[in-house]
Amino acid sequence: MATPTENTKYIFVTGGVTSSLGKGIISASLAKLLQSRGYSVTIQKLDPYINIDPGTLNPYEHGECYVTEDGAETDLDLGHYERFLNVPTSQANNVTTGRIYLSVIEKERRGDYLGETVQVIPHITDEIKHSIQLLGENNQYDFVITEIGGTVGDIESLPYIEAIRQLKWEMGPRCLVIHLTLVPYLAAAKELKTKPTQHSVKTMLEYGVQPDVLVCRTERPLNQSIRNKIALFCNVDATSVIESIDTDSIYKVPILMKDEKLDLVVLRKMKMSANCKPDLDKWEGFLDRLLNPRKSVTIGLVGKYVELVDAYKSIIESLIHAGATNHCKVNVQLIHSEQVNTQNLNKLLKNLSGILVAPGFGDRGIKGKILAIQYARINNIPFFGICLGMQCAMVEFARNVLHLKNAHSTEMEPDTPDPVIDIMEQQKQIYTKGGTMRLGAYPCKIEKTSKLYQIYNQEYISERHRHRYEFNNKYLKDFEQHGMVFSGINPDLGLVEVVELSGHPWYVGVQYHPEYHSTVANPHPLFVDFIKAAIDHDTLTSENPQSAISRAVSSAH
Ligand code: GLN
């Protein structure tokens, strides 16, 4: 049913007390509950930093960079939004302070402001409001949920809170503010403490914004008297004090929020019908398979950012989705590629059910990645290479099978005599960094006789990209003659998208990023099949323990 634009409701999610309270997951969970009642919802993240987008940020700074269909490099929370809602996002769903200022400054240079003094209020706040309301245009959504990054009280968050204040004033009940705070448990006092929440709401009030709903992150349940106390001090009714208890899986949060009636409180306050019962059957089915696995596998994730799981967020979540589909718990063992060497290779990798070599940039840890791939290839361990992982697989194969001893990617070794991975033609003249890679969705044609075709069961697919280098087709014939199968090719440009190795139980390298497409409703077929292969591998090894011994031997050669 088409809804007039004026009917779009705007929900803002702010955070207080500390960062990392899980605003992204709460936003995605509320969106899921509204979606399950038949409403159309999108979620947007506003990030108060000056970078134009997180594409240029080191993963240590900000975790993974998530790529959307339209090629935007965005905050990793957009990954949660897509995984929960199964609806694609776009550049409009992630805006930073840098992008807001860039747009205002470009307008100023064009003369759009007709001689006015350009100021934070109203020009920056107008631009923020425009970015929020853009998603409400064209009757697309019943609800736009906007998550404000950072914590209330931060200097850099101020223009965003001011924009919310103005929108609330202008649109009244079409806007609602959910404030997420922390209710800490003090072990010495044996008590949950409400003061940080009170202070955080006071800070909001100083800026002229009264939160409508408080979501309280806590490690212990909130009893009625705590809820009443928070309600009394923060000018909300007690039913609008929602407990968000620590949990071991983010996928439980929508159910916890449903039990807390977060969606009902929001619908009531926004005068929207709550008649339609939420349909969460598929979600609950997924959760049931996730929480009651029948077996387990251990996947080695070889990468250079292993100190920080957020750096590989989408890959880890895709493995969880694929595990649930296979009724299997996936233990992810993070292996630091810089620490893999010929001495410890066997010890580190011999008990793994599968090896996934991660995407990345630059030379650090490349040697370890190549060794891990060689080990997986020789020992018939399921191997999945993603982007740089696939490129390293091609370097390994060139060196050890085609005997091109100094083969490399020109990203790491510009003067290599055998550039099996080389910079793309279109990339050669590009010198600026942000947003200039081959980004977003591109088509891929699948060879019908391949394993890949069996996995996707489709001849044409589309997957998202984020890279500058590609397989060098000059070497294609030589690779093919030695058993490499080029099973996925970009039909327009002839670029290699997927490789697989004949005779190996499961060896797939992809130039694209399948992890950006895996959702709870649609776990990605490549990850699902990889986990299936890992299960088969473990079954085979347990039936034939001798194979583990022969593995140790073959790795010595
Ligand atoms: N560094 C490689 C390239 O730019 C791979 C990038 C990636 O893994 N996302 O092509």
Side-chain angles (χ1 to χ4, degrees), residues 299-333:
I299 301 297
L301 172 52
V302 185
K304 65 174 174 179
Y305 300 115
V306 294
E307 305 87 345
L308 185 80
V309 282
D310 271 3
Y312 300 117
K313 196 84 210 160
S314 293
I315 291 179
I316 291 173
E317 298 306 323
S318 302
L319 289 169
I320 291 173
H321 303 159
T325 307
N326 283 292
H327 292 269
C328 175
K329 174 162 174 44
V330 179
N331 302 305
V332 178
Q333 198 167 309

Side-chain angles (χ1 to χ4, degrees), residues 108-164:
E108 188 274 333
R109 291 291 83 180
R110 279 202 308 265
D112 292 2
Y113 295 116
L114 304 174
E116 282 176 50
T117 307
V118 181
Q119 296 182 293
V120 173
I121 304 170
H123 301 98
I124 295 297
T125 44
D126 277 355
E127 196 65 33
I128 294 172
K129 283 157 70 182
H130 172 73
S131 300
I132 295 167
Q133 289 177 300
L134 196 65
L135 283 171
E137 277 179 4
N138 304 326
N139 310 324
Q140 267 200 78
Y141 301 106
D142 298 317
F143 291 95
V144 173
I145 300 180
T146 299
E147 176 194 346
I148 311 291
T151 308
V152 174
D154 295 348
I155 292 174
E156 54 188 22
S157 301
L158 274 173
Y160 294 95
I161 307 295
E162 169 60 15
I164 295 176

Side-chain angles (χ1 to χ4, degrees), residues 334-375:
L334 298 162
I335 298 172
H336 202 311
S337 51
E338 268 187 307
Q339 281 157 17
V340 178
N341 56 47
T342 44
Q343 277 80 50
N344 63 17
L345 186 62
N346 192 53
K347 188 164 159 276
L348 281 177
L349 308 182
K350 71 169 188 246
N351 292 324
L352 296 174
S353 332
I355 295 175
L356 193 157
V357 178
F361 297 83
D363 196 34
R364 191 164 69 87
I366 289 292
K367 278 201 188 101
K369 286 188 173 176
I370 292 176
L371 276 173
I373 295 165
Q374 182 186 19
Y375 188 89

Side-chain angles (χ1 to χ4, degrees), residues 123-286:
H123 301 98
I124 295 297
T125 44
D126 277 355
E127 196 65 33
I128 294 172
K129 283 157 70 182
H130 172 73
S131 300
I132 295 167
Q133 289 177 300
L134 196 65
L135 283 171
E137 277 179 4
N138 304 326
N139 310 324
Q140 267 200 78
Y141 301 106
D142 298 317
F143 291 95
V144 173
I145 300 180
T146 299
E147 176 194 346
I148 311 291
T151 308
V152 174
D154 295 348
I155 292 174
E156 54 188 22
S157 301
L158 274 173
Y160 294 95
I161 307 295
E162 169 60 15
I164 295 176
R165 187 194 67 77
Q166 293 178 21
L167 285 173
K168 255 197 133 192
W169 173 248
E170 288 162 19
M171 291 198 275
R174 281 176 61 203
C175 288
L176 179 119
V177 176
I178 299 178
H179 189 56
L180 181 56
T181 76
L182 179 69
V183 178
Y185 179 76
L186 280 199
K190 295 197 177 56
E191 254 183 357
L192 286 166
K193 290 293 181 189
T194 65
K195 199 66 83 186
T197 298
Q198 296 178 36
H199 281 299
S200 181
V201 171
K202 282 217 172 74
T203 307
M204 292 283 281
L205 288 169
E206 272 172 39
Y207 302 144
V209 178
Q210 165 67 55
D212 300 286
V213 178
L214 296 174
V215 175
C216 303
R217 181 72 186 265
T218 173
E219 54 182 278
R220 308 236 166 170
L222 302 184
N223 62 27
Q224 196 54 47
S225 86
I226 291 269
R227 289 176 198 246
N228 291 344
K229 187 171 177 186
I230 293 172
L232 179 69
F233 279 97
C234 301
N235 325 317
V236 294
D237 47 299
T239 53
S240 301
V241 178
I242 305 288
E243 166 195 293
S244 166
I245 197 138
D246 290 356
T247 171
D248 52 355
S249 168
I250 55 170
Y251 297 107
K252 286 184 189 166
V253 180
I255 307 299
L256 293 172
M257 289 303 111
K258 180 173 150 249
D259 295 346
E260 283 287 304
K261 302 190 172 55
L262 174 62
D263 54 334
L264 285 176
V265 170
V266 166
L267 290 170
R268 174 168 48 82
K269 285 191 180 277
M270 301 198 91
K271 307 205 175 1
M272 297 287 274
S273 160
N275 288 342
C276 181
K277 257 179 77 80
D279 178 5
L280 286 164
D281 288 357
K282 266 191 109 171
W283 189 274
E284 276 164 350
F286 163 81

Side-chain angles (χ1 to χ4, degrees), residues 514-548:
E515 70 273 23
Y516 297 142
H517 265 169
S518 190
T519 68
V520 168
N522 271 325
H524 196 287
L526 271 174
F527 281 90
V528 172
D529 209 64
F530 176 55
I531 295 303
K532 196 163 153 289
I535 296 168
D536 293 346
H537 172 80
D538 282 1
T539 312
L540 211 68
T541 315
S542 66
E543 282 166 5
N544 179 17
Q546 203 55 31
S547 65

Side-chain angles (χ1 to χ4, degrees), residues 359-361 386-388 391 411 466-469 513:
F361 297 83
I386 299 183
C387 208
L388 181 63
Q391 296 177 353
E411 179 182 1
R466 184 175 189 242
H467 63 117
R468 288 199 166 84
Y469 294 79
H513 291 265

